[in-house]
Amino acid sequence: MTGPNITAVIEIGSTGIRLVIARIGGTQDVEILDRAGKPSRIGRDVFTLGHITREAMRESIAVLSAFREFLSGYKIRPEEARVFATSALREATNRDTFVDRVSLQTGFRITVVEDIEENHLMYLAVQHALQDERKRLARSNAMILEVGGGSTEIMLLRRGRMVASHSLHIGTVRVSEHIKAAGSSSAYLRQFLEDNVRTVCDSLEEDIPLDSIRTFIVIGSDARLAASRLEGEKTEHYSVIPRESFSSFVESTGQLSIEECVADFRISWSDAEGLVSGLAIEKHFLDRTGADFVIIPDVSIREGLLLAILKGPDNELAAEMHRQILASTAALGRKFHFDEKHAKTVTGYALAIFDALLRDYGLDRKARLLLEASSMLHDIGTIIRSSGHHKHGEYIIANSEIFGLNKNDLTIISNVVRYHRKMPPAPTHLNFIALPREDRILVTKLAAILRVADALDRGHDGKVGKLTFEKVEDRFIMRAGNRLDFSLERLSMTEKSDMFSEVFGLEPVLA
């Protein structure tokens, strides 16, 4: 079975290497044609030793070589497959060596996804699987949880809008290795998880009261196993299991040995090793919520990547992702008590200027999104101190998470915030100089726009109103929507327009 719409996704995870082959049709459907998977010791190596051992590297290359032969039956070349790796490879000290050896010996090109990208793909998969549950998601607060071998990914939604996303260093492989090293019992496991999850949940309470969460969604093979064994509402794409049933299953499974899990559930040894700890982590988070049911989608991060391929950049789901990114951005601002009214006013001005310049200055949709986030957060550092708040804002953003944006995006945003006032970029500014040339150029363009937009709301009163624009020779004329005294704004413009003039070759003028 071949065809131009057939694609392959390979995930190199902490506990296994898994392949999905699918036919992508139109704009709506993903048809799974084949699956394959093999256990992997990568996670166990990395989380105990810090690197991938020679044996694990050799085994992984053997598995990927077998997958290459498998894909040849579908006429899929190695370079056409989407191969990505998650937390284990992210943390491996020799990940570059591993990626290079895999490329040389199999032809597969590995992309190491960041934790926030994992959340993005997970969200896509959940959105697709729970289309029938969208009304429920829009009415209630929700937690989406995925327990992996090396990390636990959490997303918090308030009435369908993203509040926060977090990646925690709690995973089945990490926990099982810790328990094994301590030579301890199931009682120790329970106490260990209670202590760790309690600390995490206490910090999550800053984002949303966990007892207000009525929708609890769990992704992963452990939860799917529970769903297959329990009574509940079953659909083609997900299961809804009563809270009490799920909790009872976790408790009873916790009494089983690895050998008993293999025999009773007919699963591999590697899957059985993490089953008890995975379910226990899920239950501890469930216990902190007010959910009456556990929703378990029949999807994985691999389906999320397939959906990302299917949907492409210009579609309804992309618009939804944009809304969620901005909701997460606003949530970060509120966490640090930003002036939301001023932030929205400056953002409106910045985007209007951006759109007026878009055609002539090599700016694109992604740059617009980064400017939007930067504008919303430009004054976030004032919570520390008003003096130098641009530097404090840079630090806060660089060390925060915004759903749907990766570390490189956050680095760009933090630099734009850094230069929205005071001194422009200089060779002594290490965080700026460390950026690739293209990103440095982008930062200067976005920061130049943000400086002008901020000057337009110097009094934090939005009195300029709706802007219209005109380019006259070397002047960029911004006509205010209101007829008022703008002497304060013009004075601020004089102080902050130098970068704009240098970057765009235009003098900004408020008329």
Side-chain angles (χ1 to χ4, degrees):
M1 187 179 300
T2 62
N5 295 326
I6 295 179
T7 190
V9 170
I10 298 174
E11 176 197 0
I12 302 176
S14 300
T15 60
I17 302 176
R18 302 171 183 91
L19 163 70
V20 172
I21 299 174
R23 186 198 307 279
I24 295 178
T27 59
Q28 297 295 324
D29 206 13
V30 172
E31 178 191 359
I32 303 299
L33 303 177
D34 230 327
R35 297 179 187 269
K38 289 289 185 180
S40 169
R41 69 165 90 174
I42 289 177
R44 204 163 300 280
D45 281 355
V46 173
F47 303 140
T48 55
L49 304 173
H51 66 276
I52 304 170
T53 62
R54 185 184 306 172
E55 293 76 14
M57 199 174 293
R58 186 166 53 243
E59 290 173 1
S60 300
I61 290 173
V63 171
L64 291 169
S65 297
F67 283 175
R68 180 186 60 191
E69 296 304 315
F70 188 57
L71 293 181
S72 67
Y74 286 90
K75 292 185 169 57
I76 299 174
R77 298 191 300 272
E79 62 271 19
E80 295 173 331
R82 307 294 182 96
V83 186
F84 67 98
T86 53
S87 61
L89 202 55
R90 271 201 305 269
E91 298 181 29
T93 57
N94 58 342
R95 82 177 198 179
D96 291 339
T97 299
F98 179 86
V99 169
D100 184 59
R101 284 193 56 188
V102 167
S103 177
L104 289 173
Q105 296 184 237
T106 70
F108 289 124
R109 294 193 292 263
I110 299 174
T111 299
V112 181
V113 299
E114 298 178 19
D115 42 21
I116 201 69
E117 292 175 286
E118 278 195 68
N119 280 338
H120 179 187
L121 296 173
M122 183 170 71
Y123 179 77
L124 289 176
V126 169
Q127 282 285 90
H128 182 73
L130 300 184
Q131 293 183 54
D132 297 341
E133 294 288 327
R134 286 190 177 179
K135 290 184 178 179
R136 185 197 298 218
L137 288 171
R139 289 196 306 266
S140 66
N141 295 341
M143 175 186 289
I144 303 175
L145 184 76
E146 181 191 34
V147 180
S151 64
T152 293
E153 310 299 329
I154 298 175
M155 284 179 284
L156 300 175
L157 291 84
R158 179 183 286 114
R159 297 187 180 278
R161 296 297 184 196
M162 192 67 58
V163 174
S165 62
H166 299 277
S167 181
L168 314 173
H169 281 260
I170 301 175
T172 57
V173 177
R174 289 189 201 273
V175 171
S176 62
E177 285 300 307
H178 176 84
I179 301 301
K180 188 186 300 182
S184 302
S185 63
S186 58
Y188 179 84
L189 169 64
R190 187 179 300 109
Q191 188 61 49
F192 174 80
L193 291 179
E194 283 179 3
D195 293 343
N196 280 272
V197 173
R198 180 174 62 250
T199 301
V200 170
C201 288
D202 288 346
S203 67
L204 295 179
E205 291 280 357
E206 298 177 9
D207 298 315
I208 191 171
L210 297 186
D211 59 5
S212 73
I213 290 174
R214 295 291 182 267
T215 304
F216 187 78
I217 302 166
V218 184
I219 298 178
S221 58
D222 302 330
R224 291 197 297 271
L225 174 63
S228 70
R229 295 297 182 112
L230 298 172
E231 294 294 326
E233 177 188 346
K234 304 290 179 71
T235 75
E236 181 182 357
H237 299 295
Y238 63 92
S239 301
V240 181
I241 306 299
R243 175 185 184 134
E244 295 77 11
S245 299
F246 185 84
S247 296
S248 297
F249 180 82
V250 175
E251 292 289 348
S252 61
T253 303
Q255 306 304 314
L256 301 177
S257 66
I258 295 177
E259 292 83 356
E260 289 171 328
C261 288
V262 171
D264 291 0
F265 300 129
R266 299 180 182 276
I267 57 178
S268 68
W269 184 273
S270 61
D271 287 339
E273 281 187 303
L275 177 64
V276 171
S277 56
L279 289 171
I281 293 170
E282 292 158 6
K283 181 181 182 301
H284 277 85
F285 279 102
L286 173 62
D287 289 344
R288 288 292 295 265
T289 74
D292 294 323
F293 296 90
V294 179
I295 301 176
I296 304 172
D298 187 23
V299 294
S300 70
I301 191 173
R302 295 175 294 284
E303 281 78 8
L305 185 53
L306 286 168
L307 287 165
I309 297 169
L310 166 69
K311 298 296 181 179
D314 299 308
N315 53 73
E316 181 182 346
L317 192 55
E320 173 63 17
M321 283 302 305
H322 181 265
R323 289 190 290 270
Q324 297 292 15
I325 290 169
L326 295 184
S328 182
T329 301
L332 178 61
R334 294 184 193 112
K335 182 177 181 180
F336 290 93
H337 307 291
F338 75 150
D339 182 342
E340 189 163 357
K341 180 181 178 182
H342 172 62
K344 288 181 176 179
T345 300
V346 171
T347 300
Y349 293 155
L351 295 181
I353 295 169
F354 180 97
D355 292 341
L357 298 170
L358 175 64
R359 186 172 300 173
D360 300 326
Y361 292 94
L363 299 168
D364 58 18
R365 179 178 298 184
K366 180 62 179 290
R368 192 180 194 275
L369 173 62
L370 297 178
L371 175 63
E372 193 167 5
S374 303
S375 302
M376 285 293 291
L377 299 175
H378 73 280
D379 279 348
I380 195 173
T382 55
I383 192 172
I384 298 175
R385 192 171 59 187
S386 179
S387 175
H389 71 265
H390 54 301
K391 296 180 181 178
H392 302 315
E394 176 190 21
Y395 177 83
I396 290 172
I397 294 166
N399 292 277
S400 297
E401 293 180 341
I402 297 176
F403 173 77
L405 299 181
N406 59 35
K407 288 182 181 177
N408 186 63
D409 296 332
L410 291 174
T411 301
I412 291 173
I413 292 169
S414 68
N415 272 276
V416 174
V417 168
R418 166 70 173 81
Y419 298 113
H420 87 274
R421 65 192 292 267
K422 299 292 185 180
M423 187 177 182
T428 56
H429 297 170
L430 298 182
N431 290 340
F432 177 78
I433 295 301
L435 292 171
R437 177 179 175 276
E438 293 79 8
D439 289 348
R440 293 199 301 271
I441 293 171
L442 178 60
V443 166
T444 57
K445 288 180 179 179
L446 300 186
I449 293 172
L450 180 53
R451 288 164 84 101
V452 171
D454 194 30
L456 290 171
D457 196 42
R458 180 66 180 83
H460 290 215
D461 49 17
K463 70 179 183 181
V464 168
K466 186 176 181 180
L467 292 166
T468 56
F469 305 95
E470 183 181 2
K471 295 178 190 174
V472 179
E473 297 179 343
D474 61 349
R475 295 192 303 162
F476 182 68
I477 300 174
M478 300 174 288
R479 303 192 187 281
N482 299 317
R483 294 191 175 183
L484 299 169
D485 178 11
F486 297 127
S487 56
L488 183 64
E489 287 74 21
R490 290 191 178 99
L491 176 62
S492 182
M493 188 79 66
T494 301
E495 297 171 349
K496 303 186 73 170
S497 63
D498 53 343
M499 188 187 296
F500 190 96
S501 298
E502 181 177 340
V503 171
F504 297 108
L506 297 169
E507 178 191 356
V509 177
L510 178 58

